[in-house]
Amino acid sequence: VTVMPDGVAAIDVNGNVTFASPHLLDMHGGTLAEVVGTSPLNWIAPEYQAKAAANIQALLNAQPLPGDHEFVL
Protein backbone atom coordinates (compact mmCIF):
# COMPACT_ATOMS: atom_id res chain seq x y z
CA VAL A 1 0.00 0.00 0.00
CA THR A 2 2.84 2.39 0.75
CA VAL A 3 4.18 2.26 -2.82
CA MET A 4 0.85 2.34 -4.70
CA PRO A 5 0.29 5.37 -6.94
CA ASP A 6 -3.29 5.67 -5.61
CA GLY A 7 -4.27 7.16 -2.31
CA VAL A 8 -5.65 4.54 0.08
CA ALA A 9 -7.47 4.97 3.37
CA ALA A 10 -9.00 2.52 5.83
CA ILE A 11 -11.98 3.27 8.03
CA ASP A 12 -13.27 1.59 11.18
CA VAL A 13 -16.82 0.42 11.95
CA ASN A 14 -17.65 3.92 13.20
CA GLY A 15 -16.71 5.42 9.84
CA ASN A 16 -13.49 7.09 11.02
CA VAL A 17 -10.17 6.98 9.20
CA THR A 18 -7.70 4.57 10.83
CA PHE A 19 -5.02 4.59 8.12
CA ALA A 20 -4.00 6.78 5.19
CA SER A 21 -1.29 5.85 2.73
CA PRO A 22 1.66 8.16 2.19
CA HIS A 23 0.45 8.95 -1.34
CA LEU A 24 -2.99 9.96 -0.05
CA LEU A 25 -1.35 12.26 2.46
CA ASP A 26 0.87 13.73 -0.28
CA MET A 27 -2.16 14.34 -2.51
CA HIS A 28 -4.13 15.98 0.28
CA GLY A 29 -1.26 17.78 1.97
CA GLY A 30 -2.16 16.58 5.46
CA THR A 31 -0.38 14.49 8.04
CA LEU A 32 -1.41 11.11 9.40
CA ALA A 33 -2.15 12.71 12.77
CA GLU A 34 -4.55 15.18 11.08
CA VAL A 35 -6.42 12.45 9.18
CA VAL A 36 -6.72 9.55 11.65
CA GLY A 37 -9.94 9.70 13.65
CA THR A 38 -11.75 11.97 11.20
CA SER A 39 -14.53 11.23 8.76
CA PRO A 40 -13.26 10.38 5.27
CA LEU A 41 -15.94 12.76 3.99
CA ASN A 42 -13.82 15.63 5.33
CA TRP A 43 -11.20 14.76 2.73
CA ILE A 44 -13.49 14.28 -0.30
CA ALA A 45 -14.59 17.08 -2.62
CA PRO A 46 -18.12 18.32 -1.75
CA GLU A 47 -19.65 17.17 -5.03
CA TYR A 48 -18.61 13.56 -4.27
CA GLN A 49 -19.54 13.46 -0.57
CA ALA A 50 -23.12 12.12 -0.97
CA LYS A 51 -21.92 9.26 -3.18
CA ALA A 52 -19.03 8.52 -0.82
CA ALA A 53 -21.34 8.58 2.21
CA ALA A 54 -23.67 6.06 0.54
CA ASN A 55 -20.72 3.78 -0.28
CA ILE A 56 -19.34 4.02 3.26
CA GLN A 57 -22.75 3.19 4.72
CA ALA A 58 -23.07 0.19 2.38
CA LEU A 59 -19.63 -1.06 3.45
CA LEU A 60 -20.47 -0.65 7.13
CA ASN A 61 -23.70 -2.61 6.55
CA ALA A 62 -21.88 -5.36 4.58
CA GLN A 63 -23.85 -4.53 1.43
CA PRO A 64 -22.47 -4.62 -2.12
CA LEU A 65 -21.22 -1.35 -3.54
CA PRO A 66 -22.41 0.22 -6.77
CA GLY A 67 -19.86 0.43 -9.62
CA ASP A 68 -17.59 3.48 -9.20
CA HIS A 69 -15.47 3.89 -6.06
CA GLU A 70 -13.16 6.73 -7.06
CA PHE A 71 -13.58 10.17 -5.51
CA VAL A 72 -11.92 13.53 -5.97
CA LEU A 73 -10.16 15.00 -2.96
Side-chain angles (χ1 to χ4, degrees):
V1 171
T2 60
V3 296
M4 291 175 60
D6 297 323
V8 177
I11 62 170
D12 63 19
V13 296
N14 297 313
N16 295 314
V17 175
T18 59
F19 169 81
S21 69
H23 192 71
L24 180 65
L25 296 172
D26 288 344
M27 289 189 302
H28 184 270
T31 66
L32 190 58
E34 293 171 325
V35 174
V36 168
T38 65
S39 169
L41 299 177
N42 294 344
W43 311 101
I44 295 175
E47 62 270 22
Y48 289 91
Q49 288 181 359
K51 181 179 170 183
N55 283 355
I56 291 167
Q57 193 61 47
L59 284 170
L60 293 174
N61 292 326
Q63 298 172 343
L65 294 178
D68 185 9
H69 311 304
E70 290 187 21
F71 302 102
V72 175
L73 302 178

